[in-house]
Amino acid sequence: MTGLLVVTAVPAEADAVRSGLTDPTVTVAPVGVGPAVAAAATARLLALAEAAGRPYRAVVSAGVAGGFTGRAEVGDTVLGTASIAADLGAESPDGFIPVDELGMPLALLGAGSVVRADPVLLAALRAALPAATAGPVLTVSTVTGTAASTEELRRRHPEAVAEAMEGYGVAVAATQAGVPFAELRTISNPIGPRDRDAWRLREALTALTAAAPALALTTAEEHGLRA
């Protein structure tokens, strides 16, 4: 097996991760924004590596995210205990129905609306980043931008710490390939009414660079824990 695959949405996130890495066995790939493109691109990267006889040991979805105020503040680092497809389901007069509750044969798809982080990989990341906040990370196709939608997400996911747009897609691709998965995010803005002036992308990218060495440590530590 080769080293770790780190998937980001945009080149700026990939550059931030690379700036903190010294381990050449860690591959960093920006794949695009949103769960669909993230899933497709990650699946392709995993398949190509496997076909070449150099499968990846694990996959981490990394990048910036919005944080739930009081749980993860701007500049914080977050480790996802699970990646949740927060808007995958159906509306009803009684409220949102997650896809898991719609009676669909999810076992055939390899995942429901929640994909939990690999426990060994997550433990290695938590050991390498002891100050990080751990909790579920929501994946959305539309960034939350109102107080009402923020409170609805808080109600439905009381333990969630952040939201982003790719984690669940990457997680599904990793699950289909049988590869351990985790999600690492740094917080650029509070979730709530959309206010670009409140975003701190530079601070979040700096925090991503600071967290990146843990990814290289994780490759060796995770292998040792799993061996």
Side-chain angles (χ1 to χ4, degrees), residues 146-200:
T146 69
S149 54
T150 301
E151 289 310 307
E152 173 64 11
L153 285 179
R154 281 183 178 272
R155 184 189 66 78
R156 285 172 38 213
H157 303 284
E159 296 182 357
V161 295
E163 74 164 23
M165 301 182 74
E166 295 79 32
Y168 177 79
V170 178
V172 170
T175 298
Q176 292 279 352
V179 177
F181 163 83
E183 185 167 3
L184 183 154
R185 298 282 173 178
T186 54
I187 304 304
S188 61
N189 60 280
I191 298 170
R194 186 172 175 79
D195 178 12
R196 287 300 299 269
D197 291 337
W199 290 20
R200 298 291 180 267

Side-chain angles (χ1 to χ4, degrees), residues 94-192:
D94 297 321
F96 181 80
I97 305 173
V99 68
D100 312 66
E101 300 175 17
L102 293 177
M104 296 179 178
L106 294 175
L108 299 178
L109 305 178
S113 63
V114 179
V115 180
R116 301 199 178 280
D118 178 81
V120 175
L121 181 56
L122 179 60
L125 282 168
R126 294 186 75 167
L129 294 167
T133 299
V137 176
L138 307 184
T139 297
V140 294
S141 295
T142 302
V143 174
T144 303
T146 69
S149 54
T150 301
E151 289 310 307
E152 173 64 11
L153 285 179
R154 281 183 178 272
R155 184 189 66 78
R156 285 172 38 213
H157 303 284
E159 296 182 357
V161 295
E163 74 164 23
M165 301 182 74
E166 295 79 32
Y168 177 79
V170 178
V172 170
T175 298
Q176 292 279 352
V179 177
F181 163 83
E183 185 167 3
L184 183 154
R185 298 282 173 178
T186 54
I187 304 304
S188 61
N189 60 280
I191 298 170

